[in-house]
Amino acid sequence: MTKRTIVVLPGDGIGSVVLRQAVRVLDAAGFDAEYIYGDIGWEFWRKEGNPLPERTLDLITRHKIVLFGAITSKPEDEAQAELDPSLGGKGFKYSSPIVGLRQHFNLDICVRPCKSYKGNPLNFIRRGRGNTVEEPLVDVVIFRQNTECLYSGVEWTNPPEQVYKAFLTHPRFRKNFGDVPVDELSVSARIFTKKATSRILSAAFEHARKYGYKSVTVCEKPNVVRETSGLMWRLAKEMQKNSYSEIKLMNTNIDAQMMWLTKNPEDYGVIVAGNMFGDIVSDAFAGLIGGLGFACSVQFSSDGIAVFEPTHGSAPKYAGYEVPIVNPVAMIESAAMMLDYLGEKKLYSDIRNAVAAVIEEGKVRTYDMLKMTGKPEVVQNGAASTIRMTDAIIEKLRKL
Ligand code: NAI
Ligand code: MG
C-alpha cells in the first residue's frame, strides 16, 4: 500500500469533533496516510475576512483528496458583526466556503449513499399485511448534480430591462405575467447543461454497473418541466440504450417519489437528479436510514478532486460540550467511502463491517439512536459519547 496524502479540513463545531474520530478509525484500520490540516470556516472569516483562504485552495489543488468536517455559516449581518474590528469597513463580504469549494473546483457530482444498517433503531419501519411490522432495508445511492439548476444563482428581483424584455418574448410569460409590474417580479433560473447532465448520468450508470445495482431512476419532473427535467430524461434514455442496456432505467417524478419513499424504498437502487430535486430526495432517503448521524457524501470534480464529508452541519449548540455526544458514524462512513474511492477495498469493508457489528449488537448507541434530546446529561442516561461510539467501532475493527 502506498502512503497517501489526505487534506483534512476539520472546520467548525462538531465538524472537528467527528473528523478527529474518523482519523482514529482510519488509523486503526491500518490506512497509511499523511494528513495535512487545512484552514476553513468561521475562525478564518473572523480573523482574515475569508472562510476559505487561498492557501487551503492550494493544498487541495496539490493533493486532491479531502476529508471535510463541517462549517458554520451565518447571515451577512451577523458575519459582519463578528468580523475582527481591524477588518471592518474594508469591503469583506461573507460567502459560504462550501459553495466556494464547489464553485472553485467545479465539484459537479455529489454522491450520497443511503444504506440501512441492520438493528439501527432509527430505521424506517412500516405496517405490513395482517398488522405485521416490516423493516425494509434501504440501499440507495443518490447522484445529485451539484452546480446547476435552481442553485446556480442566476436570479433577479426586479430584473433589468434587457432580461425583462427577453422574458416578454416568451408567449407564456407574456400571457401569464405580462401585466405584472417589473418591480414585483422575482425570477430564479433553472439551468441544465448537456455537458453536466451527461456527466451526472454517466457517473450514476457507471456506479450502478460497478456495484451491481439493477436500476437507475431519474427523479425529476419531465412531464411539466419539459426543458430541463426533459433534457435529463432524454439523455438518460439515450445513454441507457447505447451503453447500459443491462441496467433498468426508471423515471419518477419528485413529488410521486416522495410518496413512494415510504411505500417501497427497497425498490430503488441508483437515483439521479438535478441539484434541487437531488437535495430533496437525498435528505428524504437519509431520513429512512437514521438521519444526519448516518448520512455521508462525496463531491467530485472532473479533474480528480474529491471531498468526502458528512451531510450534517457544525451543530454549534453541541460543539461546546465537555463530553461530545454527536454521532460520528456519518463522518466515519464518509472516510470509509474515501478508502473505497482510493481502491482500498479491504479497509473500506472492514470499517463498514465494524460499524455494522456495533449497530447490530446494540450495546453502544449515541443519543440520536436512543431518541433522546441532545443534552449533556444523555451520557449519564445511557447514551454513548462520540468517543465511546468510536472506541466500540475500533474494538470491532481489531477483532475482524
Ligand atoms: P446541523 O446539521 O448542524 O444540525 C442540525 C441538528 O441535527 C442538530 O441540532 C442535531 O440535533 C442533529 N445532528 C447533526 N449532526 C448530528 C450528528 N452527527 N449526530 C447526531 N445528531 C446530529 O444543521 P443546522 O443546525 O441547520 O446548522 C448549523 C450550522 O451548520 C449552520 O451554521 C449551517 O450553516 C451549517 N451547515 C453546514 C453544513 C456543512 O458544513 N456541510 C451543512 C449544513 C449546515
Ligand atoms: Mg440539503
Side-chain angles (χ1 to χ4, degrees):
M1 189 164 76
T2 48
K3 196 178 186 89
R4 307 279 189 169
T5 304
I6 308 295
V7 177
V8 176
L9 306 179
D12 304 310
I14 66 161
S16 58
V17 171
V18 291
L19 192 41
R20 210 171 305 133
Q21 302 311 310
V23 172
R24 285 182 63 214
V25 171
L26 288 171
D27 286 344
F31 180 53
D32 188 17
E34 180 192 2
Y35 297 103
I36 303 184
Y37 284 77
D39 300 333
I40 192 168
W42 201 247
E43 184 191 340
F44 303 95
W45 160 251
R46 295 183 54 194
K47 287 198 309 208
E48 304 176 20
N50 184 0
L52 181 58
E54 208 52 50
R55 58 185 178 279
T56 304
L57 298 174
D58 290 344
L59 263 185
I60 300 172
T61 307
R62 208 166 329 129
H63 302 294
K64 295 195 167 9
I65 308 294
V66 180
L67 259 187
F68 174 39
I71 53 86
T72 298
S73 272
K74 296 187 188 177
E76 187 60 25
D77 54 337
E78 287 177 48
Q80 289 302 334
E82 291 190 35
L83 191 59
D84 187 286
S86 69
L87 301 174
K90 294 200 173 148
F92 289 105
K93 242 179 110 56
Y94 181 81
S95 68
S96 159
I98 299 181
V99 177
L101 271 180
R102 209 174 281 169
Q103 285 170 349
H104 186 87
F105 294 109
N106 193 25
L107 300 167
D108 65 332
I109 293 181
C110 174
V111 187
R112 292 188 178 185
C114 295
K115 189 167 177 170
S116 30
Y117 281 109
K118 257 193 201 150
N120 184 350
L122 300 177
N123 282 347
F124 167 68
I125 55 171
R126 70 176 168 226
R127 211 181 289 283
R129 252 170 220 256
N131 228 6
T132 51
V133 173
E134 297 172 345
E135 186 174 327
L137 288 181
V138 176
D139 182 2
V140 163
V141 187
I142 289 127
F143 280 72
R144 165 186 172 195
Q145 205 295 326
N146 216 20
T147 48
E148 303 191 332
C149 191
L150 277 172
Y151 298 178
S152 53
V154 181
E155 46 187 3
W156 305 266
T157 287
N158 191 4
E161 196 185 339
Q162 266 179 318
V163 175
Y164 182 65
K165 278 191 175 154
F167 279 126
L168 281 174
T169 63
H170 196 294
R172 288 252 170 84
F173 184 89
R174 255 196 333 270
K175 178 163 176 275
N176 297 323
F177 306 104
D179 58 358
V180 178
V182 63
D183 61 353
E184 291 181 18
L185 268 180
S186 291
V187 180
S188 302
R190 190 177 205 262
I191 300 173
F192 279 38
T193 64
K194 189 173 176 186
K195 185 173 167 200
T197 307
S198 301
R199 256 177 63 71
I200 193 76
L201 286 168
S202 71
F205 277 115
E206 278 301 313
H207 191 89
R209 175 173 283 169
K210 185 169 169 201
Y211 292 91
Y213 287 95
K214 295 196 168 44
S215 66
V216 167
T217 302
V218 174
C219 180
E220 278 285 323
K221 185 108 182 167
N223 57 335
V224 177
V225 194
R226 286 164 189 264
E227 300 308 324
T228 47
S229 294
L231 174 73
M232 183 172 272
W233 178 237
R234 286 190 296 277
L235 290 174
K237 279 194 292 192
E238 198 180 295
M239 202 176 274
Q240 190 262 358
K241 190 164 150 243
N242 294 336
S243 312
Y244 300 95
S245 54
E246 84 281 11
I247 297 165
K248 185 174 170 197
L249 177 64
M250 305 200 283
N251 176 19
T252 58
N253 286 340
I254 178 72
D255 47 343
Q257 181 71 70
M258 291 298 103
M259 184 177 62
W260 290 327
L261 188 74
T262 50
K263 217 173 161 203
N264 59 342
E266 69 273 44
D267 291 350
Y268 299 93
V270 171
I271 293 185
V272 55
N275 207 343
M276 184 175 210
F277 295 161
D279 196 6
I280 294 170
V281 77
S282 58
D283 273 14
F285 271 96
L288 302 179
I289 59 132
L292 288 175
F294 292 88
C296 54
S297 75
V298 56
Q299 304 181 55
F300 292 113
S301 74
S302 59
D303 54 359
I305 306 243
V307 179
F308 297 85
E309 57 176 316
T311 302
H312 65 71
S314 62
K317 61 182 178 193
Y318 298 89
Y321 288 12
E322 204 171 316
V323 177
I325 62 162
V326 290
N327 190 344
V329 167
M331 182 77 241
I332 291 169
E333 282 259 17
S334 305
M337 281 173 83
M338 176 185 79
L339 296 178
D340 187 34
Y341 176 78
L342 293 173
E344 304 287 359
K345 304 286 171 200
K346 160 101 177 45
L347 302 189
Y348 164 73
S349 53
D350 282 355
I351 294 180
R352 279 213 54 113
N353 291 340
V355 174
V358 170
I359 293 173
E360 191 159 9
E361 198 172 76
K363 287 192 206 146
V364 181
R365 286 176 170 171
T366 43
Y367 84 94
D368 53 324
M369 297 175 75
L370 296 171
K371 299 192 164 82
M372 291 175 167
T373 307
K375 296 268 161 61
E377 329 50 284
V378 297
V379 177
Q380 279 132 269
N381 296 334
S385 69
T386 310
I387 312 219
R388 176 74 196 97
M389 186 67 176
T390 313
D391 288 346
I393 293 166
I394 291 174
E395 277 161 40
K396 290 286 178 210
L397 262 178
R398 300 228 158 99
K399 285 188 197 143
L400 284 175

